[in-house]
Amino acid sequence: MEDVIRFFSEYKHISVIIHVLSVIVGMGAALISDILFNIYIHNKKIEKNENQTLQILSDIVWVSLCFIVASGIALFLSDPMTYGYSVKFLVKMTIVGVIIINGYLFWHLIHPSLEKINFTDTNIHHKYVKLRKLSFVLGAVSLFSWLSAFVLGMLGNISLTYLEAIAGYILICFGGILFSQVVEYRMTHGKVKSN
């Protein structure tokens, strides 16, 4: 085990660079995806070419997540005692776990029906209404999770316990989800006009 720690400690700077760059690229792709998604839905539906663009951005996010997890493991192995007790590191990796689960749910529950969902019509099949609402929920979780991970990466040590930090993160996501449902309601009930 000491040889493993020594190896990863020696190349820790590389792990840090990969980790930071992966977070930046992943967050950038996720934010662009969210922005484009909101632009696309103003035309009521996601067209095939728009869906393909979102798929490419999703692929970039997934590749970034692979590098984030791999570099996170490498960082942990470079100094298990420090990172094992680092609230910041543990919270950030928990958020990455949420991003992975959230992304999985989006691309397995929403993506197959994305081109069939009408984003400004209340008179559609109940299944698509639920999927439309869920797409806004998952989008909000993605956005605020990436932003939280990025902010944590920029901070020094945080003076919170793990549970306090996670509770704060949950509150932020909950607020984002509530806001996303307000946007969805206003959009489908004619308060947000489509172009």
Side-chain angles (χ1 to χ4, degrees):
M1 186 62 183
E2 289 183 5
D3 290 339
V4 172
I5 294 173
R6 190 179 302 113
F7 173 82
F8 284 104
S9 179
E10 185 176 348
Y11 295 101
K12 180 179 177 179
H13 60 287
I14 296 175
S15 299
V16 170
I17 292 170
I18 293 172
H19 197 73
V20 171
L21 287 176
S22 298
V23 170
I24 291 171
V25 171
M27 185 186 72
L31 290 178
I32 292 170
S33 180
D34 285 342
I35 291 168
L36 289 178
F37 180 81
N38 282 286
I39 291 171
Y40 294 159
I41 62 177
H42 281 295
N43 295 324
K44 297 184 179 181
K45 296 185 74 174
I46 303 291
E47 302 296 338
K48 185 175 181 180
N49 63 321
E50 296 171 340
N51 197 14
Q52 289 172 341
T53 300
L54 294 175
Q55 180 65 61
I56 291 169
L57 289 168
S58 173
D59 292 342
I60 293 171
V61 170
W62 281 113
V63 171
S64 297
L65 283 170
C66 289
F67 280 103
I68 290 170
V69 172
S71 58
I73 292 171
L75 285 172
F76 178 82
L77 291 175
S78 71
D79 191 352
M81 291 302 294
T82 298
Y83 285 104
Y85 290 96
S86 169
V87 171
K88 172 185 159 180
F89 180 80
L90 294 175
V91 171
K92 189 166 67 170
M93 294 313 288
T94 300
I95 292 173
V96 169
V98 171
I99 291 171
I100 291 171
I101 294 169
N102 189 73
Y104 176 86
L105 291 174
F106 185 88
W107 289 103
H108 285 79
L109 297 178
I110 307 298
H111 186 257
S113 301
L114 200 55
E115 293 173 31
K116 299 175 184 176
I117 300 174
N118 187 310
F119 286 90
T120 57
D121 186 2
T122 55
N123 298 314
I124 59 173
H125 191 280
H126 183 63
K127 168 188 173 183
Y128 296 121
V129 172
K130 289 197 301 185
L131 288 176
R132 182 176 64 203
K133 289 180 181 292
L134 183 59
S135 71
F136 278 83
V137 169
L138 297 178
V141 172
S142 171
L143 174 64
F144 287 98
S145 294
W146 276 106
L147 289 174
S148 297
F150 179 75
V151 169
L152 278 172
M154 297 299 102
L155 294 175
N157 292 327
I158 58 175
S159 57
L160 297 171
T161 66
Y162 176 82
L163 290 178
E164 289 171 341
I166 289 296
Y169 161 69
I170 290 171
L171 284 174
I172 290 170
C173 285
F174 184 70
I177 289 169
L178 287 179
F179 179 74
S180 77
Q181 294 307 290
V182 171
V183 171
E184 189 275 339
Y185 179 85
R186 287 171 62 84
M187 179 172 290
T188 56
H189 289 77
K191 301 299 182 184
V192 176
K193 302 296 183 183
S194 60
N195 294 329

